[in-house]
Amino acid sequence: MSDTLWFRQVLAGPMGNCLYLVGDPETKKAFVVDPAWDPLGILRLAQEDGFEVTHVVLTHAHQDHVGGEIAGQKIPGLAELLAEVQLPIYIHEIEADQVAKVTGIPREALTTYVDDEVLELDGPPNVRILHTPGHSPGSCGLLVDDHLISGDTLFVQGVGRVDLPGSDVDAMFHSLQRLRQLPLETLVFPGHNYGPSPHSTIGQEIDLNPYLRPSSLEQWRMMMGLF
């Protein structure tokens, strides 16, 4: 953790989800990322460290990241969080309707962002949005200083699924190429803890992640079994 950033990674739920708290040590204000599975617990964690959660920023709209229901299983998330405290919620404009659908939160209660926008959250650190479609149409990475919260696009030595409704194999290749261009020392914090460690760096992923090896769309499609 740097002196200018308070950063907590929290593992929650049976799917190895990674939730995040990102705050400013001076203002003691923070935002939470993808608060599914344990939304109230992550609020308590912030409070225990002396931080006030003032915003929610989402990487994408799947139920295991925002709450809702999967195969009859109820996943606590945004709805339970908002029942405790009213917070503005940020999501890429492509997936706002989906968040409303799966959580029951009114669409007008959501604030949308677009690619390369810098969210100035008035207290918590600023966030640069990197639109990285592939796993879902509106999947995004959240870049805060040298920390990349990569959602379900880039995992430690893996990538997110591209066989779901709304997924796009070719878009995933281009998104990975975009992330590959970030500084090698950029810290990578994924949406799930599926790798040998819960975080990595861009440099380590270039060296060790087989999904970053294809240098052309043709190679990528062959790797993914499309030829």
Side-chain angles (χ1 to χ4, degrees):
M1 187 188 308
S2 71
D3 292 337
T4 60
L5 193 67
W6 176 75
F7 191 95
R8 297 291 298 268
Q9 181 188 55
V10 179
L11 305 182
M15 301 172 70
N17 281 69
C18 298
L19 290 59
Y20 295 94
L21 286 163
V22 187
D24 183 326
E26 290 190 4
T27 65
K28 292 292 185 178
K29 295 183 184 299
F31 64 87
V32 60
V33 178
D34 295 353
W37 299 104
D38 191 17
L40 302 187
I42 204 164
L43 275 183
R44 289 193 298 269
L45 177 60
Q47 292 166 357
E48 289 168 2
D49 277 7
F51 281 79
E52 176 189 3
V53 174
T54 60
H55 297 74
V56 178
V57 185
L58 304 173
T59 63
H60 64 297
H62 286 163
Q63 290 97 315
D64 61 317
H65 291 263
V66 304
E69 187 174 302
I70 298 179
Q73 180 182 10
K74 175 65 175 174
I75 301 171
L78 292 176
E80 289 76 10
L81 186 68
L82 294 187
E84 183 75 13
V85 58
Q86 288 298 306
L87 302 172
I89 300 169
Y90 289 78
I91 181 70
H92 191 282
E93 60 182 6
I94 294 175
E95 298 197 357
D97 288 343
Q98 180 68 8
V99 170
K101 178 181 178 181
V102 301
T103 66
I105 295 171
R107 169 64 177 78
E108 57 270 20
L110 305 173
T111 302
T112 60
Y113 56 66
V114 296
D115 183 36
D116 221 26
E117 182 175 353
V118 175
L119 304 182
E120 297 181 358
L121 302 180
D122 188 26
N126 293 345
V127 185
R128 180 186 168 200
I129 301 300
L130 302 179
H131 184 207
T132 54
H135 178 68
S136 72
S139 282
C140 287
L142 311 177
L143 191 61
V144 187
D145 293 342
D146 62 349
H147 292 55
L148 172 70
I149 300 173
S150 55
D152 283 7
T153 299
L154 179 63
F155 296 149
V156 176
Q157 298 183 32
V159 296
R161 291 176 60 179
V162 289
D163 60 344
L164 301 171
S167 296
D168 186 317
V169 174
D170 289 0
M172 178 65 89
F173 170 75
H174 294 297
S175 293
L176 293 173
Q177 291 300 301
R178 182 181 192 185
L179 296 182
R180 208 179 189 279
Q181 301 308 309
L182 292 172
L184 299 180
E185 64 272 17
T186 302
L187 300 167
V188 176
F189 293 91
H192 292 271
N193 181 28
Y194 289 160
S197 66
H199 53 80
S200 181
T201 68
I202 290 294
Q204 289 171 332
E205 291 311 299
I206 289 173
D207 289 341
L208 299 174
N209 193 329
Y211 294 97
L212 291 183
R213 290 175 189 156
S215 59
S216 70
L217 185 58
E218 291 73 21
Q219 291 176 352
W220 168 258
R221 289 177 64 83
M222 289 183 66
M223 181 180 189
M224 302 303 286
L226 297 181
F227 288 146

